[in-house]
Amino acid sequence: MSAGPGIEIDQAGVGRRMRDTRQGTRGVSEGFSRAYMRECIDNHRFPQEAWEALGEYGLLGITIPEELGGSGGGQVELVALMETLAEAGLVLPMLLLTGFARVPIIRQGTPSQIERFVKPTISGAEKLCFAITEPDAGTNSFAMSSLAAQDGDGYRLTGRKVFISGAADADRMLVVARTQKAGEVERRTEGMSLFVVDTDAPGVELQPLNIDVGWPERQYLVFFDEVKLEADRLIGQPGQGLAGMFEALNSERLLVTAMSVGLGNYALKKAVAYANERKPFGVPIGSYQAPQHRLTSSTPQLAAPRRLPFHPPPPSSPPPAPSLFSPLPPLPLPSLSSPSPPPFTPAHPPPPLPALSAPSPKTPHLRISSSSPFHSSPPSTALPLSHLHSPLPTSTLYLTSL
């Protein structure tokens, strides 16, 4: 399948790579429970044990070429890793932070920078985070004011960053800053550079924010006060960091999606299990239509974002064939010159309705007795959820047949 001009996607190869990665990841995910992750989240404790296990299995080396000591692979394998961990209830944002923060270093860094900043992350000995958002700029990164001013052969970094995940747990952060002020460049996309900054460097201050997003890692406000940076801390060319910034952000979008879809499938699996176990009226609540509708509607909502990264539509493809979730084509309208159809006349007209009268003031309120059909149990005939192509074959939710 073509993903764009000159780009072909090997769907069979992508599926095989994802299956291999998922199988290898289960060696880690099956060793840590959701209770372990909840303890880390509740206490804002970094899941060091799980992190070390990922390093031992070589999973932290995904996307790093084998000639550099990594495990090889690319974004496909990293997405499969994030999704599989999340499907087990394991939330490891530091994995995606390190994963996409080192992308610009691998692609634009020198061999010595890769040796110094990337290789230690393969075993998990060091971790990276990403610092781009600023209090006064928000998502408009071009309006950032953090400035790395030239200082001899190096730079002096001054500014603020906000909502920086895992800053206190990371050893280094990839910082996006201006080496030219916005008013000094012709185009706002110019003058932005990438730097690797130690989180414990003199002049770096971390303030935890009172925000809880359900991760072990906290969010931080980061201050840079005349932080001295040597020349080898600059990744790529000065003022040309925009491409590297988007290389990292594009990877981030894929990895956050994978983690979100995995957590959604984990929640759906838990909900299906509960719907089969909960029997307040003697039968599973999953046999009632209201829970069925909510659970089954979640399946396409989770399937769509999972499919999109690996099944992009061709640029000039014919319209897709109608499916269960495709809108029906509009009905053809008759032309203005078409004769009007004859009016419909029933063969046996219904009798006239009786005249309405005011209700008696003594009419009692309606009561539903225990023998009312509203209290009867649902039919016993059932249909397994797998009939609807559920992604959870290990769980069974029963749908009453109509």
Side-chain angles (χ1 to χ4, degrees):
M1 173 180 288
S2 174
I7 301 177
E8 294 290 331
I9 295 180
D10 179 8
Q11 297 291 357
V14 168
R16 181 177 62 255
R17 292 163 61 186
M18 293 195 70
R19 286 192 299 271
D20 292 344
T21 305
R22 290 172 67 88
Q23 183 177 358
T25 305
R26 291 190 181 99
V28 176
S29 63
E30 293 175 356
F32 297 91
S33 65
R34 176 63 179 175
Y36 161 81
M37 183 54 57
R38 283 300 321 174
E39 188 272 331
C40 294
I41 293 174
D42 293 341
N43 296 284
H44 291 293
R45 182 179 74 83
F46 182 75
Q48 186 65 32
E49 300 83 1
W51 184 261
E52 293 175 356
L54 290 170
E56 293 173 0
Y57 274 75
L59 296 172
L60 295 179
I62 288 178
T63 71
I64 307 299
E66 295 183 24
E67 57 269 24
L68 297 178
S71 302
Q75 291 298 314
V76 169
E77 286 78 8
L78 198 55
V79 164
L81 171 61
M82 288 298 306
E83 183 184 34
T84 306
L85 291 172
E87 285 177 350
L90 303 180
V91 185
L92 294 167
M94 187 59 70
L95 177 60
L96 69 90
L97 292 169
T98 298
F100 72 75
R102 63 191 181 188
V103 170
I105 306 176
I106 296 173
R107 296 187 177 180
Q108 300 185 17
T110 64
S112 61
Q113 288 176 326
I114 294 174
E115 182 75 25
R116 184 179 180 184
F117 303 134
V118 174
K119 281 193 174 182
T121 66
I122 297 175
S123 64
E126 293 185 2
K127 300 178 284 292
L128 299 174
C129 67
F130 190 68
I132 180 173
T133 306
E134 296 191 0
D136 298 327
T139 57
N140 182 13
S141 301
F142 303 115
M144 69 174 57
S145 59
S146 293
L147 181 65
Q150 192 81 37
D151 182 30
D153 293 336
Y155 297 86
R156 289 278 181 177
L157 176 62
T158 302
R160 297 181 299 167
K161 299 292 182 179
V162 71
F163 305 128
I164 308 306
S165 304
D169 299 305
D171 300 278
R172 295 186 172 97
M173 64 178 70
L174 185 67
V175 179
V176 185
R178 284 198 167 275
T179 44
Q180 290 178 281
K181 296 180 180 180
E184 299 174 351
V185 294
E186 294 182 3
R187 292 180 294 182
R188 61 176 186 167
T189 58
E190 299 174 342
M192 305 174 72
S193 304
L194 302 177
F195 295 90
V196 177
V197 181
D198 294 343
T199 55
D200 60 352
V204 176
E205 180 184 351
L206 309 178
Q207 289 186 4
L209 298 173
N210 188 23
I211 298 175
D212 191 352
V213 294
W215 294 351
E217 294 85 349
R218 301 191 67 170
Q219 305 280 306
Y220 290 86
L221 177 62
V222 183
F223 295 90
F224 303 105
D225 184 12
E226 296 290 324
V227 179
K228 182 173 178 57
L229 300 175
E230 302 296 334
D232 62 353
R233 294 300 181 116
L234 172 68
I235 304 300
Q237 297 299 316
Q240 300 180 20
L242 183 67
M245 179 185 77
F246 278 109
E247 285 175 345
L249 293 177
N250 290 338
S251 177
E252 177 196 26
R253 294 182 179 110
L254 291 172
L255 298 177
V256 171
T257 299
M259 183 174 66
S260 302
V261 171
L263 281 175
N265 278 315
Y266 173 79
L268 181 58
K269 180 179 179 180
K270 297 286 288 185
V272 168
Y274 182 79
N276 283 323
E277 296 169 359
R278 176 70 171 162
K279 301 178 181 179
F281 301 105
V283 294
I285 60 174
S287 62
Y288 294 95
Q289 285 188 336
Q292 293 170 13
H293 294 166
R294 298 300 296 272
L295 293 174
T296 54
S297 66
S298 301
T299 302
Q301 294 178 15
L302 290 170
R306 188 180 191 274
R307 178 181 175 85
L308 187 59
F310 304 109
H311 298 78
S316 300
S317 60
S323 68
L324 179 62
F325 304 107
S326 300
L328 294 176
L331 294 175
L333 298 177
S335 62
L336 296 178
S337 59
S338 301
S340 301
F344 173 74
T345 304
H348 303 284
L353 294 175
L356 297 178
S357 59
S360 171
K362 296 183 179 181
T363 302
H365 293 288
L366 175 65
R367 289 186 178 182
I368 301 176
S369 66
S370 59
S371 61
S372 168
F374 291 101
H375 287 272
S376 62
S377 299
S380 59
T381 305
L383 182 67
L385 183 61
S386 59
H387 181 72
L388 297 181
H389 309 288
S390 168
L392 308 173
T394 56
S395 302
T396 303
L397 172 67
Y398 288 100
L399 304 179
T400 57
S401 59
L402 301 178

